[in-house]
Amino acid sequence: MAQPKGTVVLAYSGGLDTSCILVWLKEQGYDVIAYLANIGQKEDFESARKKALALGAKKIYIEDISKEFVEEFIWPAVQANALYEDRYLLGTALARPCIARKLVEIAQKEGAQYVAHGATG
C-alpha cells in the first residue's frame, strides 16, 4: 500500500468505472469519500452505498439534488433551447456542473485535498 496522500472525494455511480477508480485511489494511498448524486435517475442507491463501503470508501454521501438540477440547470437550458445538434436536450452534460458543485462542497466540508471522477473518457 502506498504512503497516505490525503483525502479525495470521488464522484461515484456504483458502476464499473467508478468502482475501479475507487479501489485504485485506495491502492495509491488516498482516503476516498464517495459522492453519489440523485438527479432523478432510477438507481438502487442502497446497493451503491454498500458497494462503495465494501470497496473501501471511508464514507459515502448520497444526496437528492434533483430539485436544484431541474430549477438551476434543466429549466434555464429549456428556456435557452439548448439542444445538441438540434435534436435532444443536453441532460447528461447539464448534470455535470450540478454534481461538480456538490462534490466541491463536500470536499470543503470534509477537508479533502482532492476531487475526482471515474467516468470513461
Side-chain angles (χ1 to χ4, degrees):
M1 189 69 69
Q3 293 293 322
K5 294 182 178 175
T7 301
V8 59
V9 180
L10 172 66
Y12 183 76
S13 70
L16 179 62
D17 292 342
T18 59
S19 295
C20 287
I21 199 69
L22 191 158
V23 172
W24 183 83
L25 287 165
K26 291 285 299 168
E27 289 173 350
Q28 301 308 305
Y30 296 95
D31 286 327
V32 180
I33 297 172
Y35 173 64
L36 175 53
N38 175 357
I39 57 167
Q41 75 274 32
K42 293 195 186 292
E43 181 104 26
D44 184 347
F45 294 104
E46 187 54 33
S47 177
R49 175 188 305 281
K50 289 177 183 174
K51 185 175 184 179
L53 294 172
L55 292 172
K58 177 176 151 181
K59 187 186 285 189
I60 181 166
Y61 285 84
I62 299 174
E63 295 182 340
D64 183 345
I65 60 171
S66 55
K67 184 175 188 278
E68 60 199 277
F69 178 49
V70 170
E71 291 175 355
E72 299 174 32
F73 295 86
I74 295 293
W75 183 235
V78 168
Q79 290 174 313
N81 198 28
L83 300 177
Y84 179 73
E85 294 184 351
D86 294 321
R87 298 175 103 175
Y88 58 90
L89 185 63
L90 299 169
T92 301
L94 290 172
R96 301 294 188 238
C98 186
I99 293 167
R101 180 172 65 188
K102 287 296 188 175
L103 195 70
V104 170
E105 286 176 15
I106 291 168
Q108 290 172 334
K109 175 182 173 181
E110 291 287 338
Q113 297 81 15
Y114 310 99
V115 295
H117 68 83
T120 303

